[in-house]
Amino acid sequence: MTVAAPIDHPAFFGNQHGYYERVREDGPGPRLVRNPHGLEYWLVTRHADAKAVLLDARFSKEPRRAARALSEAGYPDQGPGSFFLPLVNSDPPDHTRLRALVSGAFTPRRVAELGPRVEEITHQLLDEMDRLHVPGAESAPVDLMAALAFPLPVLVISELIGVPHRSRAALIGWATRMLTVSGAAGGGPGERTRRLGLWFGSLVAARRPGVRVERAPEEQPDLLSALIAAHHQEDRLSDEELVSLLVLLLVAGHETTTGMLGNAVDALLRHPDQLAGLRADPELLPGAVEELLRYETSLARTTLRVAREDVEVAGAVIPAGAIVSVSLAAANRDPDVCPEPGRLDITRERAPHLSFGHGIHFCLGAPLARLQARTALGALLTRYPDLALADPGQPQHWRPVGDMRGLLTLPVRLTEAPGVAT
């Protein structure tokens, strides 16, 4: 098997779709790729193959199995916390047990109840964005990532978990640094995850039975209280699982939704005809969100799986012990399921995508992410009829993270620049 051109090299981040298209056109079935660390793994790019792999229990997500496979492949250890995010990296029956503990927080009814609060938070952030404008400089650029896309998901997930109001500003700063700081300055992803785990550990300690904590009435009931109650029921939730679930809810809920919001606004602003169509008919918004998810998913690739045995996928045999990743970004642009996949069309009758995954690991937070997207996009289009990119000629600044697809910054103009004719 020929190894494809190295993945996740610097040029890849500016043109990931071109890379995936070349891999997909190289032939049917998954392909072996190599990342900058020298790790070789099987990359699945076609929509049908992606769904098949995501449904196949022969591909394990159990963390110790993945850690062993990565170690044998010579992959550098990222430190404590790199692999143990229980809902992401576990197989049944543990995955089934853990998912059941948090699924109640993401039911359609619970998400609908959060709707007014999500709208309130969104408009509070936009109000603050307006206040930061200097009088007489209405056309000055605003970084929409910093003003809206970074803080909104953190505040929403904090509301859901039950993080005290006094701690939320600090949590926004922490979560933002996790997405924007890299290298030694940030301590590495494993170290940042470990520190966040310590922070949540202290929050759990302050909420255990017998510890009196002053909380506002609106902070109850919450997911944290439910998880702590489960922790005290024998064999339902370990200390490590409890803290790791909280870390996962923040990191996954924040990182993917932040990327989704930035990607969606950027895509609309780069396609004026689609933006105009959505402005003309706001009823298109739910379908537009699905098309935007398909067009530029924030979760570009799934976390790694390991083959329990030899598995044939579209004619290629993936050997036992091999590492596999599914490219959701590539599957979403498979021409076999989506005509003209590189074209953004908010009026598509059907926009099939795997942006929230598939099978038992389908994203629990999908309804909440969709709610935030509809709310944020609707508010932006209503409040800022002249919203535009600050400099359409400037290249996008993507985060250099292979499995995620998100912008570091998104400079926009909220009002029409002086001298521009309407």
Side-chain angles (χ1 to χ4, degrees), residues 215-271:
R215 294 194 301 274
E218 63 269 21
E219 293 178 12
Q220 301 183 42
D222 54 51
L223 183 57
L224 179 55
S225 299
L227 290 176
I228 289 175
H231 172 71
H232 288 281
Q233 295 180 24
E234 186 177 0
D235 297 329
R236 292 199 68 195
L237 197 62
S238 69
D239 287 341
E240 187 178 26
E241 287 172 337
L242 171 57
V243 172
S244 293
L245 275 174
L246 295 170
V247 172
L248 172 65
L249 288 169
L250 176 71
V251 174
H254 175 231
E255 189 169 18
T256 55
T257 307
T258 288
M260 175 190 66
L261 294 174
N263 295 353
V265 174
D266 182 70
L268 284 173
L269 296 182
R270 292 181 186 275
H271 294 81

Coordinates of all heavy atoms in Angstrom, one line a residue, residues 215-271:
R215 N -25.8 29.5 45.9 CA -26.0 29.5 44.4 C -27.3 30.3 44.1 O -28.3 30.2 44.9 CB -26.1 28.1 43.9 CG -24.8 27.3 44.0 CD -24.9 26.0 43.2 NE -26.0 25.2 43.5 CZ -25.9 24.2 44.5 NH1 -24.8 24.1 45.2 NH2 -26.9 23.5 44.8
A216 N -27.3 30.9 43.0 CA -28.5 31.6 42.6 C -29.6 30.5 42.2 O -29.2 29.5 41.7 CB -28.2 32.5 41.4
P217 N -30.9 30.8 42.4 CA -31.9 29.9 42.0 C -31.8 29.4 40.6 O -32.1 28.2 40.3 CB -33.2 30.6 42.3 CG -32.8 31.7 43.3 CD -31.4 32.1 42.9
E218 N -31.4 30.2 39.7 CA -31.5 29.8 38.3 C -30.4 28.8 38.0 O -30.3 28.2 36.9 CB -31.3 31.0 37.3 CG -30.0 31.8 37.5 CD -30.1 32.9 38.5 OE1 -31.0 32.9 39.3 OE2 -29.2 33.8 38.4
E219 N -29.4 28.6 38.9 CA -28.4 27.6 38.7 C -28.8 26.2 39.0 O -28.0 25.3 39.0 CB -27.1 28.0 39.5 CG -26.5 29.3 39.0 CD -25.3 29.6 39.9 OE1 -24.8 28.8 40.7 OE2 -24.8 30.8 39.8
Q220 N -30.1 26.0 39.4 CA -30.6 24.7 39.8 C -31.8 24.4 39.0 O -32.6 25.4 38.7 CB -30.9 24.6 41.3 CG -29.7 24.8 42.2 CD -30.0 24.7 43.6 OE1 -30.7 23.8 44.0 NE2 -29.5 25.6 44.4
P221 N -32.1 23.2 38.6 CA -31.3 22.0 38.6 C -30.2 22.1 37.5 O -30.4 22.9 36.6 CB -32.2 20.9 38.4 CG -33.3 21.4 37.5 CD -33.4 22.9 37.9
D222 N -29.2 21.3 37.6 CA -28.1 21.4 36.6 C -27.5 20.0 36.5 O -27.7 19.1 37.3 CB -27.1 22.4 36.9 CG -26.5 22.2 38.3 OD1 -26.1 21.1 38.7 OD2 -26.5 23.2 39.1
L223 N -26.7 19.8 35.4 CA -26.1 18.5 35.1 C -25.1 18.1 36.2 O -24.9 17.0 36.5 CB -25.4 18.6 33.7 CG -24.8 17.3 33.2 CD1 -25.8 16.2 33.2 CD2 -24.2 17.5 31.8
L224 N -24.3 19.1 36.7 CA -23.3 18.8 37.7 C -24.0 18.1 39.0 O -23.5 17.1 39.5 CB -22.6 20.1 38.2 CG -21.5 19.9 39.2 CD1 -20.5 18.9 38.8 CD2 -20.9 21.3 39.5
S225 N -25.1 18.7 39.4 CA -25.8 18.0 40.5 C -26.2 16.6 40.2 O -26.1 15.7 41.1 CB -27.0 18.9 40.9 OG -26.7 20.2 41.3
A226 N -26.7 16.4 39.0 CA -27.1 15.0 38.6 C -25.9 14.1 38.6 O -26.0 12.9 39.0 CB -27.8 15.1 37.3
L227 N -24.8 14.6 38.1 CA -23.6 13.7 38.0 C -23.0 13.4 39.4 O -22.6 12.3 39.6 CB -22.5 14.4 37.1 CG -22.9 14.4 35.6 CD1 -21.8 15.2 34.9 CD2 -23.0 13.0 35.0
I228 N -23.0 14.4 40.2 CA -22.6 14.1 41.6 C -23.5 13.1 42.3 O -23.0 12.2 43.0 CB -22.5 15.5 42.4 CG1 -21.3 16.3 41.9 CG2 -22.3 15.2 43.9 CD1 -21.3 17.7 42.5
A229 N -24.8 13.2 42.1 CA -25.7 12.2 42.7 C -25.4 10.8 42.1 O -25.4 9.9 42.9 CB -27.1 12.6 42.3
A230 N -25.1 10.8 40.8 CA -24.7 9.5 40.2 C -23.4 8.9 40.8 O -23.2 7.7 41.0 CB -24.7 9.6 38.7
H231 N -22.5 9.9 41.0 CA -21.2 9.5 41.6 C -21.4 8.8 42.9 O -20.6 7.9 43.3 CB -20.3 10.7 41.8 CG -19.1 10.5 42.5 ND1 -18.0 9.8 42.0 CD2 -18.6 10.9 43.7 CE1 -17.0 9.7 42.8 NE2 -17.4 10.4 43.9
H232 N -22.4 9.2 43.7 CA -22.5 8.6 45.0 C -23.4 7.3 45.0 O -23.6 6.7 46.1 CB -23.2 9.6 46.0 CG -22.2 10.7 46.3 ND1 -21.2 10.5 47.3 CD2 -22.0 11.9 45.8 CE1 -20.5 11.6 47.4 NE2 -21.0 12.5 46.5
Q233 N -23.8 6.9 43.8 CA -24.5 5.6 43.7 C -23.5 4.6 43.2 O -22.8 4.8 42.3 CB -25.6 5.7 42.7 CG -26.7 6.7 43.1 CD -27.8 6.8 42.1 OE1 -28.0 5.9 41.3 NE2 -28.5 7.9 42.1
E234 N -23.4 3.5 43.9 CA -22.4 2.5 43.8 C -22.2 2.1 42.3 O -23.2 1.7 41.6 CB -22.7 1.3 44.6 CG -21.5 0.2 44.6 CD -21.8 -0.9 45.6 OE1 -22.9 -0.9 46.2 OE2 -21.0 -1.8 45.6
D235 N -21.0 2.1 41.8 CA -20.6 1.6 40.5 C -21.1 2.4 39.3 O -21.0 1.9 38.2 CB -21.0 0.1 40.3 CG -20.3 -0.8 41.3 OD1 -19.2 -0.5 41.7 OD2 -20.9 -1.8 41.7
R236 N -21.7 3.5 39.6 CA -22.3 4.3 38.4 C -21.3 5.2 37.8 O -21.3 5.5 36.6 CB -23.5 5.0 38.9 CG -24.7 4.1 39.2 CD -26.0 4.8 39.1 NE -26.4 5.3 37.8 CZ -27.3 6.2 37.5 NH1 -27.9 6.8 38.5 NH2 -27.6 6.5 36.3
L237 N -20.4 5.9 38.6 CA -19.5 6.9 38.1 C -18.3 7.0 39.1 O -18.5 7.3 40.2 CB -20.3 8.2 38.0 CG -19.7 9.3 37.2 CD1 -19.6 8.9 35.7 CD2 -20.5 10.6 37.3
S238 N -17.1 6.8 38.5 CA -15.9 6.9 39.3 C -15.5 8.4 39.4 O -16.0 9.2 38.7 CB -14.8 6.1 38.7 OG -14.4 6.7 37.5
D239 N -14.6 8.7 40.4 CA -14.0 10.0 40.5 C -13.5 10.5 39.2 O -13.7 11.6 38.7 CB -12.9 10.1 41.6 CG -13.5 9.9 43.0 OD1 -14.7 10.2 43.2 OD2 -12.7 9.6 43.9
E240 N -12.7 9.7 38.5 CA -12.0 10.1 37.3 C -13.0 10.3 36.2 O -12.9 11.2 35.4 CB -11.0 9.0 36.9 CG -10.1 9.4 35.7 CD -9.1 8.3 35.3 OE1 -9.4 7.1 35.6 OE2 -8.1 8.7 34.7
E241 N -14.0 9.4 36.1 CA -15.1 9.6 35.1 C -15.9 10.8 35.3 O -16.2 11.5 34.3 CB -16.0 8.3 35.1 CG -15.3 7.1 34.6 CD -16.2 5.8 34.8 OE1 -17.1 5.9 35.7 OE2 -16.1 4.9 34.1
L242 N -16.2 11.2 36.5 CA -17.0 12.4 36.8 C -16.3 13.6 36.3 O -16.8 14.4 35.6 CB -17.2 12.5 38.3 CG -17.9 13.8 38.8 CD1 -19.2 14.0 38.1 CD2 -18.1 13.7 40.3
V243 N -15.0 13.8 36.7 CA -14.2 15.0 36.3 C -14.0 14.9 34.7 O -14.2 16.0 34.1 CB -12.9 15.0 37.0 CG1 -12.0 16.2 36.4 CG2 -13.2 15.3 38.5
S244 N -13.7 13.8 34.2 CA -13.5 13.7 32.8 C -14.7 14.0 31.9 O -14.6 14.6 30.9 CB -12.9 12.3 32.4 OG -11.6 12.1 33.0
L245 N -15.9 13.6 32.4 CA -17.1 14.0 31.7 C -17.3 15.5 31.7 O -17.7 16.0 30.6 CB -18.3 13.3 32.4 CG -18.6 11.9 32.0 CD1 -19.8 11.3 32.9 CD2 -19.0 11.8 30.6
L246 N -17.0 16.1 32.8 CA -17.1 17.6 32.8 C -16.1 18.3 31.9 O -16.5 19.2 31.1 CB -16.9 18.1 34.2 CG -18.0 17.7 35.2 CD1 -17.6 18.0 36.7 CD2 -19.4 18.3 34.9
V247 N -14.9 17.8 31.8 CA -13.9 18.3 30.9 C -14.4 18.1 29.5 O -14.3 19.0 28.6 CB -12.5 17.6 31.1 CG1 -11.6 18.0 30.0 CG2 -12.0 18.0 32.5
L248 N -14.9 16.9 29.2 CA -15.3 16.6 27.8 C -16.5 17.5 27.4 O -16.5 18.1 26.3 CB -15.8 15.2 27.7 CG -16.5 14.8 26.4 CD1 -15.5 14.9 25.2 CD2 -17.1 13.4 26.5
L249 N -17.5 17.7 28.3 CA -18.6 18.5 28.0 C -18.2 20.0 27.7 O -18.7 20.6 26.7 CB -19.6 18.5 29.2 CG -20.4 17.2 29.4 CD1 -21.1 17.3 30.7 CD2 -21.4 17.0 28.2
L250 N -17.2 20.5 28.4 CA -16.7 21.8 28.1 C -15.9 21.9 26.8 O -16.2 22.6 25.9 CB -15.9 22.4 29.2 CG -15.3 23.7 28.9 CD1 -16.4 24.8 28.9 CD2 -14.2 24.1 29.9
V251 N -14.9 21.0 26.7 CA -14.0 21.0 25.6 C -14.7 20.7 24.3 O -14.6 21.4 23.3 CB -12.8 20.1 25.8 CG1 -12.0 20.0 24.6 CG2 -12.0 20.5 27.0
A252 N -15.5 19.6 24.3 CA -16.2 19.2 23.0 C -17.3 20.2 22.7 O -17.4 20.6 21.5 CB -16.7 17.8 23.2
G253 N -18.0 20.6 23.7 CA -19.2 21.5 23.4 C -18.7 22.9 23.0 O -19.3 23.5 22.2
H254 N -17.5 23.3 23.5 CA -17.0 24.6 23.2 C -16.3 24.6 21.8 O -16.5 25.4 20.9 CB -16.1 25.1 24.3 CG -15.4 26.4 24.0 ND1 -14.0 26.5 24.1 CD2 -15.9 27.6 23.5 CE1 -13.7 27.8 23.7 NE2 -14.8 28.4 23.4
E255 N -15.3 23.6 21.7 CA -14.4 23.6 20.6 C -15.2 23.5 19.2 O -15.0 24.2 18.3 CB -13.4 22.5 20.7 CG -12.3 22.6 19.7 CD -11.1 21.7 20.0 OE1 -11.3 20.7 20.9 OE2 -10.0 21.8 19.5
T256 N -16.1 22.5 19.2 CA -16.8 22.2 18.0 C -17.8 23.3 17.6 O -18.0 23.7 16.5 CB -17.5 20.9 18.0 OG1 -18.4 20.8 19.2 CG2 -16.5 19.7 18.1
T257 N -18.5 23.8 18.7 CA -19.5 24.9 18.4 C -18.9 26.2 18.0 O -19.4 26.9 17.1 CB -20.5 25.0 19.6 OG1 -21.0 23.8 20.0 CG2 -21.6 26.0 19.3
T258 N -17.8 26.5 18.7 CA -17.0 27.7 18.3 C -16.6 27.6 16.8 O -16.8 28.6 16.1 CB -15.8 27.9 19.2 OG1 -16.2 28.3 20.5 CG2 -14.8 28.9 18.6
G259 N -16.0 26.5 16.4 CA -15.6 26.3 15.1 C -16.8 26.4 14.1 O -16.7 27.0 13.0
M260 N -17.9 25.8 14.5 CA -19.1 25.8 13.7 C -19.6 27.2 13.4 O -19.9 27.6 12.3 CB -20.2 24.9 14.3 CG -21.5 25.0 13.6 SD -22.8 24.2 14.6 CE -23.0 25.3 15.9
L261 N -19.7 28.0 14.5 CA -20.2 29.4 14.3 C -19.3 30.2 13.4 O -19.8 30.9 12.5 CB -20.3 30.0 15.7 CG -21.3 29.4 16.7 CD1 -21.2 30.1 18.0 CD2 -22.7 29.6 16.1
G262 N -18.0 30.2 13.6 CA -17.1 30.9 12.8 C -17.1 30.5 11.4 O -17.1 31.3 10.4
N263 N -17.1 29.1 11.2 CA -17.1 28.6 9.8 C -18.4 29.0 9.1 O -18.3 29.3 7.9 CB -17.0 27.1 9.8 CG -15.7 26.6 10.4 OD1 -14.8 27.4 10.6 ND2 -15.6 25.3 10.6
A264 N -19.5 29.0 9.8 CA -20.8 29.3 9.1 C -20.8 30.8 8.7 O -21.2 31.1 7.6 CB -21.9 29.0 10.1
V265 N -20.4 31.7 9.6 CA -20.5 33.1 9.2 C -19.5 33.4 8.1 O -19.8 34.1 7.1 CB -20.2 34.0 10.5 CG1 -20.0 35.4 10.1 CG2 -21.2 33.8 11.5
D266 N -18.3 32.8 8.2 CA -17.3 33.0 7.2 C -17.8 32.6 5.8 O -17.6 33.2 4.8 CB -16.0 32.3 7.5 CG -14.9 32.5 6.5 OD1 -14.4 33.7 6.5 OD2 -14.5 31.6 5.8
A267 N -18.4 31.4 5.8 CA -18.9 30.8 4.5 C -20.0 31.7 3.9 O -20.0 31.9 2.7 CB -19.4 29.4 4.7
L268 N -20.9 32.2 4.7 CA -22.0 33.0 4.2 C -21.4 34.3 3.7 O -21.8 34.8 2.6 CB -23.0 33.3 5.3 CG -24.0 32.2 5.7 CD1 -24.8 32.6 6.9 CD2 -24.9 31.9 4.5
L269 N -20.4 34.9 4.4 CA -19.9 36.2 4.0 C -19.1 36.1 2.7 O -18.9 37.0 1.9 CB -19.1 36.8 5.1 CG -19.8 37.2 6.3 CD1 -18.9 37.9 7.3 CD2 -21.0 38.1 6.0
R270 N -18.6 34.9 2.4 CA -17.8 34.6 1.2 C -18.7 34.2 0.0 O -18.2 34.0 -1.1 CB -16.7 33.6 1.5 CG -15.6 34.1 2.4 CD -14.5 33.1 2.7 NE -13.5 33.7 3.6 CZ -12.5 34.5 3.4 NH1 -12.3 34.8 2.1 NH2 -11.7 34.9 4.3
H271 N -20.0 34.0 0.3 CA -20.9 33.7 -0.7 C -22.1 34.7 -0.6 O -23.2 34.3 -0.1 CB -21.4 32.2 -0.5 CG -20.3 31.2 -0.7 ND1 -19.4 30.9 0.3 CD2 -20.0 30.4 -1.8 CE1 -18.6 29.9 -0.2 NE2 -18.9 29.7 -1.4

